[in-house]
Amino acid sequence: MPSLIADYWRRENGLGLFLDYDGTLTPIVPNPEQAFLPREGVELLRNLCRDPQIQVAVISGRSLSQLQHFLAELAGEEMTLCGSHGGEIYLPKKGEFLRQPDRQELPQALALIRADILQQLAASDYLNQGVRIEDKPYSFAVHYRQAEPPVKQQVMTLLTHYFSANPATCRPFKLQPGKEVLEILPATFDKGNAVAFLWDNWRLPKGCYIGDDVTDEAAFAAVNQRGGLSIAVGKRPGMTQAQYICPDVAAVYAELAALLES
Ligand SMILES: [Mg+2]
């Protein structure tokens, strides 16, 4: 079976395999609580983790605890979990953190911004029009998937304006767009940053990143810079920095299966 990754790697030395979770290993589902890994995915990932030449990392915007929940069956494998866009980096098998944010400072500073934005969203009645806030350990997200297009636009404007009007308060944070969501998170939490950290830590000769979202672009850039392979899932050509495109999650699994067989 032809495979982008196997052709690129050719089993010369080691390979770092960096995988996004939602939209890459699981199809996007209406309720994010239900984004379970398919059975096929559990088995493939287990075998990839057990390949002595491959280092596997899952890098997601989800919190580390959510990633641990969805990947609980793989907790005993040699896998690295990067939650909160790489703000939290954890080795489940060893129970060890490679990167852990300050639990006190960040949420306190963020609470102020969250209170202001919540008040503004409520004042415009957006919370009754399909807009909702999701709290994470070190960030919060404003989701507008369920809102009408004019409301989506107004919410984006409101948040952008808040950031430019409050530079001192907002400086340690950034406003990061995703699929039908804007997330307010520490400026240093970045998937590209996480990939660079692991790539250098592992002294990788080769690496590959697969992801589907706007937030994966930083990781594509980091991988491209290091001569790695970048693959976007379900994107149109010209809309991504990734070198290659996989049409959907099934194609990602076909790639991973071919890699194992190489
Ligand atoms: Mg994704």
Coordinates of all heavy atoms in Angstrom, one line a residue, residues 20-26 28 59-61 179 191 210-216, ligand 1:
D20 N -2.6 15.1 15.9 CA -3.7 15.8 16.5 C -4.8 14.8 16.9 O -4.8 13.6 16.4 CB -4.3 16.9 15.5 CG -5.6 17.5 15.9 OD1 -5.7 17.9 17.1 OD2 -6.5 17.6 15.0
Y21 N -5.8 15.2 17.7 CA -6.8 14.2 18.1 C -8.1 14.4 17.3 O -8.4 13.7 16.4 CB -7.0 14.3 19.7 CG -8.0 13.2 20.1 CD1 -7.5 11.8 20.2 CD2 -9.3 13.4 20.5 CE1 -8.4 10.8 20.6 CE2 -10.2 12.4 20.8 CZ -9.7 11.1 20.9 OH -10.6 10.1 21.3
D22 N -8.9 15.4 17.7 CA -10.2 15.6 17.1 C -10.1 16.0 15.6 O -9.3 16.9 15.3 CB -11.0 16.8 17.8 CG -11.3 16.5 19.2 OD1 -10.4 16.7 20.1 OD2 -12.4 16.0 19.5
G23 N -10.8 15.3 14.8 CA -10.8 15.6 13.3 C -9.6 14.9 12.6 O -9.5 15.0 11.4
T24 N -8.7 14.3 13.4 CA -7.6 13.6 12.8 C -7.6 12.1 13.2 O -7.6 11.3 12.3 CB -6.2 14.2 13.4 OG1 -6.2 15.6 13.0 CG2 -5.0 13.5 12.8
L25 N -7.8 11.8 14.5 CA -7.9 10.4 14.9 C -9.4 10.0 15.1 O -9.7 8.8 15.2 CB -7.1 10.2 16.2 CG -5.6 10.3 16.0 CD1 -4.9 10.2 17.4 CD2 -5.0 9.2 15.0
T26 N -10.2 11.0 15.3 CA -11.7 10.8 15.5 C -12.4 11.8 14.6 O -12.0 12.9 14.5 CB -12.2 11.0 16.9 OG1 -12.1 12.4 17.2 CG2 -11.4 10.2 17.9
I28 N -15.1 14.6 13.7 CA -15.7 15.7 14.5 C -17.2 15.3 14.7 O -17.9 14.9 13.8 CB -15.7 17.0 13.8 CG1 -14.2 17.5 13.5 CG2 -16.4 18.1 14.5 CD1 -13.4 18.0 14.6
I59 N -1.2 15.5 20.2 CA -1.1 17.0 20.6 C -2.5 17.6 20.3 O -2.9 17.6 19.2 CB 0.0 17.7 19.7 CG1 1.3 17.0 19.9 CG2 0.0 19.1 20.1 CD1 2.5 17.7 19.3
S60 N -3.1 18.1 21.4 CA -4.5 18.5 21.2 C -4.7 19.8 22.0 O -4.0 20.1 22.9 CB -5.4 17.4 21.8 OG -6.7 17.9 21.8
G61 N -5.8 20.5 21.5 CA -6.2 21.7 22.3 C -7.0 21.3 23.5 O -7.3 22.1 24.4
K179 N -12.0 25.8 14.9 CA -13.2 25.6 14.1 C -14.4 26.0 14.9 O -14.8 25.4 15.9 CB -13.3 24.1 13.8 CG -12.4 23.6 12.7 CD -12.7 22.2 12.3 CE -11.8 21.8 11.1 NZ -11.7 20.4 10.9
K191 N 1.0 24.6 19.5 CA 1.3 23.3 19.0 C 2.7 23.2 18.4 O 3.4 22.2 18.5 CB 0.2 22.7 18.1 CG -1.1 22.4 18.8 CD -2.1 21.8 17.8 CE -3.3 21.2 18.6 NZ -4.2 20.6 17.6
I210 N 0.3 15.3 11.7 CA -1.0 15.2 11.0 C -2.0 15.9 11.9 O -2.2 15.7 13.1 CB -1.5 13.7 10.8 CG1 -0.3 12.9 10.3 CG2 -2.6 13.7 9.9 CD1 -0.7 11.4 10.0
G211 N -2.7 16.9 11.2 CA -3.7 17.7 12.0 C -4.8 18.3 11.0 O -4.5 18.3 9.8
D212 N -5.9 18.8 11.5 CA -6.9 19.2 10.7 C -7.4 20.7 10.9 O -8.2 21.2 10.2 CB -8.2 18.4 10.9 CG -8.8 18.6 12.2 OD1 -8.1 18.6 13.2 OD2 -10.1 18.9 12.2
D213 N -6.8 21.3 12.0 CA -7.4 22.6 12.4 C -6.5 23.8 12.1 O -5.3 23.6 11.8 CB -7.8 22.5 13.9 CG -8.9 23.4 14.3 OD1 -9.2 24.4 13.5 OD2 -9.4 23.2 15.4
V214 N -7.0 25.0 12.3 CA -6.2 26.2 12.2 C -5.1 26.1 13.1 O -3.9 26.6 12.8 CB -7.1 27.4 12.5 CG1 -6.4 28.7 12.1 CG2 -8.4 27.4 11.8
T215 N -5.3 25.6 14.3 CA -4.3 25.6 15.4 C -3.1 24.6 15.0 O -2.1 24.7 15.7 CB -4.9 25.1 16.7 OG1 -5.5 23.8 16.5 CG2 -5.9 26.1 17.2
D216 N -3.3 23.8 14.0 CA -2.3 22.8 13.6 C -1.3 23.5 12.7 O -0.2 22.9 12.4 CB -2.9 21.6 13.0 CG -3.7 20.8 13.9 OD1 -3.1 20.4 15.0 OD2 -4.9 20.5 13.7
Ligands
MG1 MG -8.2 18.7 15.3

